[in-house]
Amino acid sequence: MRNSQSKLIIGIWLLLVGFILILIPFLSEWQSNRDARALEEALSLVADSEQSNIEVNVMGKTMTENELEQVMRLEIPVIDLNQLVLPETTEQNLKVALTQIKKEQVPGEGNFTIAGHRGYRAERHFSRLPEIDKGDTILLHANDKTYKYQVFSTEIIEPTYLEILEDHPFRREITLITCTRGGQERIAVRGTLMNETAALAVGE
């Protein structure tokens, strides 16, 4: 009898552990979606408000108006991507949006680098980055301007190949990086700057 009870208790615990393990990704996704919505609302508040020195609580921390104005937006029409780009790469930021890899980057200058999680949902992060082909358009919206890039290279690289992030003299590029599905390698999409214009409405 005791043996049967022990097996029953162990079985129940295994079911609970399995349920928790299944639940964790959904809870993480819910938290990320909530933070992303809060960030979008904060950006709208800054854009629409006539007040100055606005501070809002986003992702568990206080962000100033100046910090929010540093947030950019990446648009890739061919894969229906429209994601915010945060100025710093941290694990928390990567859960919510795309991030700049190098500090103090300037849009339209050098090699502007952006990282993003692969994600398991088609509309999230860089999940569809592998579908991009040469000639496709990448739009970076920043500082009331839109920077238009044309893809010239898509490749799979090793995580240690950091040279792909370097600037090159007289070249203005963008480099997008995410993991392969297995996570062992990286997918790199590179584009060259075609032109920059006054900011367009997203989707134009």
Side-chain angles (χ1 to χ4, degrees), residues 11 41 51 66 152 182:
E41 291 171 0
Q51 301 179 21
N66 181 59
F152 68 85

Side-chain angles (χ1 to χ4, degrees), residues 192-203:
T192 186
L193 183 68
M194 304 302 291
N195 58 53
E196 59 185 75
T197 60
L200 301 171
V202 175

Side-chain angles (χ1 to χ4, degrees), residues 130-137 150-155 189-190:
E131 299 176 29
I132 295 175
D133 292 323
K134 293 180 181 179
D136 288 338
T137 297
Q150 185 176 60
V151 175
F152 68 85
S153 172
T154 62
E155 55 187 315
V189 173
R190 304 168 67 192

Side-chain angles (χ1 to χ4, degrees), residues 25 35 51 96 109 117 150 181 183:
D35 287 341
Q51 301 179 21
V96 176
E109 296 184 13
H117 279 319
Q150 185 176 60
R181 185 65 68 186

